[in-house]
Protein backbone atom coordinates (compact mmCIF):
# COMPACT_ATOMS: atom_id res chain seq x y z
CA UNK A 1 0.00 0.00 0.00
CA UNK A 2 1.06 3.59 -0.51
CA UNK A 3 3.01 5.28 2.26
CA UNK A 4 1.44 8.65 1.62
CA UNK A 5 -2.18 9.43 0.98
CA UNK A 6 -3.29 12.82 -0.25
CA UNK A 7 -6.55 14.50 0.53
CA UNK A 8 -8.57 15.62 -1.33
CA UNK A 9 -8.17 13.51 -4.46
CA UNK A 10 -9.31 16.46 -6.55
CA UNK A 11 -9.75 20.18 -5.89
CA UNK A 12 -11.27 22.89 -8.05
CA UNK A 13 -10.87 26.57 -7.10
CA UNK A 14 -11.02 30.03 -8.63
CA UNK A 15 -7.91 31.93 -9.57
CA UNK A 16 -6.72 34.01 -6.63
CA UNK A 17 -8.00 31.59 -3.99
CA UNK A 18 -5.74 29.52 -1.77
CA UNK A 19 -5.40 25.77 -2.30
CA UNK A 20 -4.68 23.39 0.56
CA UNK A 21 -3.70 19.77 0.08
CA UNK A 22 -3.06 17.29 2.86
CA UNK A 23 -0.90 14.21 3.10
CA UNK A 24 -0.86 11.44 5.67
CA UNK A 25 1.77 8.75 5.98
CA UNK A 26 2.30 5.62 8.01
CA UNK A 27 5.91 5.06 9.04
CA UNK A 28 8.77 7.13 10.41
CA UNK A 29 10.33 9.42 7.87
CA UNK A 30 13.54 11.29 7.27
CA UNK A 31 11.93 13.96 5.15
CA UNK A 32 8.75 14.75 3.25
CA UNK A 33 8.65 16.29 -0.19
CA UNK A 34 6.03 17.74 -2.48
CA UNK A 35 6.17 17.35 -6.25
CA UNK A 36 4.09 18.73 -9.08
CA UNK A 37 3.18 16.99 -12.33
CA UNK A 38 1.70 18.63 -15.38
CA UNK A 39 -0.45 16.33 -17.48
CA UNK A 40 1.51 13.51 -19.09
CA UNK A 41 4.90 14.75 -17.94
CA UNK A 42 7.47 13.90 -15.32
CA UNK A 43 7.35 15.21 -11.77
CA UNK A 44 9.06 18.39 -10.65
CA UNK A 45 10.30 18.87 -7.11
CA UNK A 46 8.69 21.76 -5.22
CA UNK A 47 9.87 21.65 -1.62
CA UNK A 48 11.43 19.37 0.99
CA UNK A 49 10.82 19.53 4.72
CA UNK A 50 12.95 17.53 7.13
CA UNK A 51 11.49 15.52 9.97
CA UNK A 52 12.83 18.01 12.55
CA UNK A 53 11.19 20.98 10.81
CA UNK A 54 7.61 22.11 11.32
CA UNK A 55 7.08 24.66 8.58
CA UNK A 56 8.78 25.79 5.41
CA UNK A 57 8.07 28.46 2.80
CA UNK A 58 9.05 28.83 -0.82
CA UNK A 59 7.47 31.68 -2.76
CA UNK A 60 3.69 31.08 -2.74
CA UNK A 61 4.14 27.63 -1.19
CA UNK A 62 3.87 26.85 2.49
CA UNK A 63 4.42 23.35 3.83
CA UNK A 64 3.75 22.15 7.35
CA UNK A 65 4.76 18.87 8.93
CA UNK A 66 3.31 17.27 12.05
CA UNK A 67 5.28 14.13 12.81
CA UNK A 68 3.12 13.29 15.82
CA UNK A 69 0.10 13.05 13.53
CA UNK A 70 2.12 11.75 10.59
CA UNK A 71 0.67 14.42 8.35
CA UNK A 72 1.69 17.33 6.15
CA UNK A 73 -0.09 20.06 4.26
CA UNK A 74 0.78 22.08 1.19
CA UNK A 75 -0.73 25.54 0.85
CA UNK A 76 -0.57 27.39 -2.44
CA UNK A 77 -1.54 31.02 -1.94
CA UNK A 78 -3.09 33.30 -4.57
CA UNK A 79 -3.45 30.45 -7.04
CA UNK A 80 -3.08 30.94 -10.78
CA UNK A 81 -4.44 29.00 -13.73
CA UNK A 82 -0.86 27.84 -14.35
CA UNK A 83 -0.94 26.03 -10.99
CA UNK A 84 -3.34 23.50 -12.51
CA UNK A 85 -1.53 20.17 -12.10
CA UNK A 86 -1.33 17.07 -9.92
CA UNK A 87 0.50 17.40 -6.63
CA UNK A 88 2.17 14.49 -4.88
CA UNK A 89 3.62 14.11 -1.44
CA UNK A 90 6.58 11.79 -1.11
CA UNK A 91 8.21 10.46 2.01
CA UNK A 92 11.89 9.76 2.39
CA UNK A 93 12.08 6.80 4.69
CA UNK A 94 14.51 6.49 7.56
CA UNK A 95 17.45 4.39 6.49
CA UNK A 96 17.74 6.43 3.38
CA UNK A 97 17.26 5.20 -0.10
CA UNK A 98 13.61 4.94 -0.86
CA UNK A 99 11.15 7.73 -1.58
CA UNK A 100 7.53 6.62 -1.57
CA UNK A 101 4.77 8.57 -3.28
CA UNK A 102 1.10 9.00 -2.60
CA UNK A 103 -1.66 8.89 -5.21
CA UNK A 104 -1.75 12.66 -5.64
CA UNK A 105 -4.22 15.54 -5.58
CA UNK A 106 -5.46 16.93 -8.89
CA UNK A 107 -5.78 20.71 -8.65
CA UNK A 108 -7.77 22.69 -11.18
CA UNK A 109 -7.59 26.47 -11.02
CA UNK A 110 -10.27 28.24 -13.01
CA UNK A 111 -9.37 31.54 -14.62
CA UNK B 1 20.48 22.36 -17.69
CA UNK B 2 20.68 19.16 -15.69
CA UNK B 3 18.37 16.43 -16.73
CA UNK B 4 17.21 12.87 -16.80
CA UNK B 5 16.58 11.55 -20.28
CA UNK B 6 14.36 8.62 -21.07
CA UNK B 7 15.03 7.09 -24.45
CA UNK B 8 11.46 6.57 -25.63
CA UNK B 9 8.47 8.80 -25.02
CA UNK B 10 5.92 6.36 -26.44
CA UNK B 11 6.23 2.63 -27.12
CA UNK B 12 3.78 0.05 -28.39
CA UNK B 13 4.76 -3.58 -27.91
CA UNK B 14 3.09 -6.96 -28.24
CA UNK B 15 2.50 -9.45 -25.45
CA UNK B 16 5.57 -11.60 -24.91
CA UNK B 17 8.04 -9.13 -26.40
CA UNK B 18 11.16 -8.11 -24.49
CA UNK B 19 11.14 -4.40 -23.74
CA UNK B 20 14.04 -2.15 -22.78
CA UNK B 21 13.49 1.27 -21.25
CA UNK B 22 16.64 3.33 -21.03
CA UNK B 23 17.35 6.21 -18.68
CA UNK B 24 20.42 8.45 -18.58
CA UNK B 25 21.24 11.21 -16.09
CA UNK B 26 23.99 13.81 -16.37
CA UNK B 27 24.13 14.94 -12.74
CA UNK B 28 26.55 12.31 -11.39
CA UNK B 29 23.81 11.12 -9.03
CA UNK B 30 24.39 7.98 -7.01
CA UNK B 31 20.75 6.88 -6.83
CA UNK B 32 18.47 5.98 -9.71
CA UNK B 33 14.89 4.80 -9.63
CA UNK B 34 12.18 3.31 -11.82
CA UNK B 35 8.55 4.00 -10.98
CA UNK B 36 5.37 3.16 -12.79
CA UNK B 37 2.37 5.47 -12.63
CA UNK B 38 -1.20 4.31 -13.03
CA UNK B 39 -4.41 6.33 -12.55
CA UNK B 40 -5.55 6.35 -8.95
CA UNK B 41 -2.46 4.50 -7.75
CA UNK B 42 0.13 7.23 -7.91
CA UNK B 43 3.75 6.25 -8.39
CA UNK B 44 4.89 2.80 -7.35
CA UNK B 45 8.56 1.94 -7.01
CA UNK B 46 9.73 -0.93 -9.19
CA UNK B 47 13.49 -1.00 -8.61
CA UNK B 48 16.18 1.35 -7.46
CA UNK B 49 19.95 1.45 -7.52
CA UNK B 50 22.28 3.26 -5.14
CA UNK B 51 25.52 2.47 -6.97
CA UNK B 52 26.87 0.95 -10.15
CA UNK B 53 25.94 -2.73 -10.45
CA UNK B 54 23.82 -2.46 -7.29
CA UNK B 55 20.06 -2.90 -7.39
CA UNK B 56 17.28 -3.24 -4.89
CA UNK B 57 13.69 -4.34 -5.35
CA UNK B 58 11.01 -1.78 -4.80
CA UNK B 59 7.38 -2.46 -4.05
CA UNK B 60 6.38 -4.09 -7.35
CA UNK B 61 9.43 -5.78 -8.94
CA UNK B 62 7.62 -8.81 -10.35
CA UNK B 63 7.94 -9.05 -14.12
CA UNK B 64 10.78 -6.53 -14.26
CA UNK B 65 14.55 -6.52 -14.05
CA UNK B 66 17.10 -3.72 -14.16
CA UNK B 67 20.67 -3.10 -15.17
CA UNK B 68 23.13 -0.45 -14.03
CA UNK B 69 26.48 -1.02 -15.70
CA UNK B 70 27.44 2.66 -15.64
CA UNK B 71 26.68 5.34 -13.08
CA UNK B 72 24.73 7.49 -15.50
CA UNK B 73 22.54 4.78 -17.02
CA UNK B 74 19.75 2.70 -15.48
CA UNK B 75 17.76 0.35 -17.68
CA UNK B 76 14.43 -1.27 -16.98
CA UNK B 77 13.74 -4.58 -18.70
CA UNK B 78 10.46 -6.33 -19.21
CA UNK B 79 11.50 -9.88 -20.08
CA UNK B 80 8.09 -10.83 -21.49
CA UNK B 81 5.70 -7.92 -21.69
CA UNK B 82 2.12 -8.43 -20.57
CA UNK B 83 -0.95 -6.24 -20.97
CA UNK B 84 -0.98 -5.42 -17.25
CA UNK B 85 2.38 -3.70 -17.73
CA UNK B 86 0.74 -1.04 -19.88
CA UNK B 87 1.60 2.09 -17.92
CA UNK B 88 3.60 5.30 -17.69
CA UNK B 89 7.17 4.55 -16.60
CA UNK B 90 9.14 7.27 -14.84
CA UNK B 91 12.86 7.26 -14.23
CA UNK B 92 14.40 9.47 -11.55
CA UNK B 93 17.77 10.11 -9.99
CA UNK B 94 19.00 11.71 -6.78
CA UNK B 95 22.09 12.36 -4.75
CA UNK B 96 22.74 9.86 -2.01
CA UNK B 97 21.13 10.64 1.35
CA UNK B 98 24.70 10.35 2.67
CA UNK B 99 25.87 13.22 0.49
CA UNK B 100 26.65 16.56 2.09
CA UNK B 101 25.90 18.37 -1.12
CA UNK B 102 22.58 20.21 -1.36
CA UNK B 103 19.70 18.34 -2.91
CA UNK B 104 20.34 14.98 -1.30
CA UNK B 105 17.24 12.79 -1.66
CA UNK B 106 15.54 15.22 -4.04
CA UNK B 107 14.43 13.31 -7.12
CA UNK B 108 14.88 14.65 -10.63
CA UNK B 109 12.51 12.93 -13.04
CA UNK B 110 12.61 12.20 -16.72
CA UNK B 111 9.63 13.06 -18.94
CA UNK B 112 8.29 9.51 -18.78
CA UNK B 113 7.83 6.62 -21.20
CA UNK B 114 4.27 5.60 -21.97
CA UNK B 115 4.23 1.90 -22.77
CA UNK B 116 1.25 0.15 -24.34
CA UNK B 117 1.31 -3.64 -24.50
CA UNK B 118 -1.18 -5.12 -26.95
Amino acid sequence: SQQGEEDPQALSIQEGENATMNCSYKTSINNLQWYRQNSGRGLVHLILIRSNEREKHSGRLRVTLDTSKKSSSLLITASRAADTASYFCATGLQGGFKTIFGAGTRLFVKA
Amino acid sequence: DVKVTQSSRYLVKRTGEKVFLECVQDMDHENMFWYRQDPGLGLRLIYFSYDVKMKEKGDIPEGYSVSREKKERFSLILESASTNQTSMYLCASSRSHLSRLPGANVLTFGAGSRLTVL
Side-chain angles (χ1 to χ4, degrees), chain A residues 2 30-31 33 35 37 40-43 45 48 88 95-103, chain B residues 9 33 35 37 40-45 48 50 59 88 90 97 105-107 109-111:
Chain A
Q2 295 296 319
N30 184 43
N31 62 75
Q33 304 173 48
Y35 289 79
Q37 183 182 36
R41 307 297 295 180
L43 280 71
H45 179 258
L48 179 151
F88 294 86
F97 298 110
K98 291 173 66 172
T99 300
I100 305 297
F101 286 79
Chain B
R9 189 82 176 90
F33 305 84
Y35 292 87
Q37 183 178 22
L41 296 177
L43 279 73
R44 293 179 291 168
L45 182 63
F48 65 99
Y50 54 89
D59 298 317
M88 170 71 94
L90 294 165
H97 68 290
N105 280 133
V106 172
L107 272 65
F109 280 86

Side-chain angles (χ1 to χ4, degrees), chain B residues 4-105:
Chain B
V4 176
T5 303
Q6 295 184 228
S7 57
S8 302
R9 189 82 176 90
Y10 299 95
L11 303 93
V12 180
K13 298 291 182 181
R14 296 206 174 273
T15 301
E17 280 192 82
K18 191 169 186 177
V19 182
F20 292 88
L21 298 179
E22 303 282 341
C23 176
V24 177
Q25 51 97 3
D26 64 1
M27 295 166 283
D28 200 36
H29 282 173
E30 293 80 11
N31 300 337
M32 296 189 75
F33 305 84
W34 276 105
Y35 292 87
R36 66 176 280 178
Q37 183 178 22
D38 301 287
L41 296 177
L43 279 73
R44 293 179 291 168
L45 182 63
I46 304 171
Y47 268 96
F48 65 99
S49 168
Y50 54 89
D51 201 353
V52 176
K53 297 190 186 294
M54 304 303 291
K55 60 186 179 184
E56 293 285 341
K57 293 180 180 179
D59 298 317
I60 52 163
E62 296 78 20
Y64 303 94
S65 62
V66 291
S67 172
R68 192 163 181 204
E69 295 297 318
K70 295 184 178 180
K71 188 176 185 179
E72 67 271 19
R73 187 180 298 269
F74 193 36
S75 303
L76 180 69
I77 304 151
L78 288 67
E79 293 289 342
S80 178
S82 63
T83 55
N84 63 13
Q85 293 178 309
T86 291
S87 187
M88 170 71 94
Y89 289 88
L90 294 165
C91 176
S93 70
S94 73
R95 290 194 193 285
S96 169
H97 68 290
L98 301 173
S99 172
R100 295 186 178 184
L101 293 171
N105 280 133

Side-chain angles (χ1 to χ4, degrees), chain A residues 11-59:
Chain A
L11 180 60
S12 180
I13 59 174
Q14 291 291 140
E15 204 167 31
E17 294 180 342
N18 295 341
T20 300
M21 288 161 267
N22 302 298
C23 170
S24 60
Y25 58 92
K26 297 173 183 174
T27 62
S28 295
I29 62 170
N30 184 43
N31 62 75
L32 187 142
Q33 304 173 48
W34 286 90
Y35 289 79
R36 166 194 167 125
Q37 183 182 36
N38 288 85
S39 181
R41 307 297 295 180
L43 280 71
V44 175
H45 179 258
L46 295 175
I47 195 166
L48 179 151
I49 186 166
R50 301 193 187 285
S51 59
N52 60 355
E53 297 176 313
R54 292 296 167 256
E55 187 170 315
K56 202 160 184 181
H57 296 255
S58 176

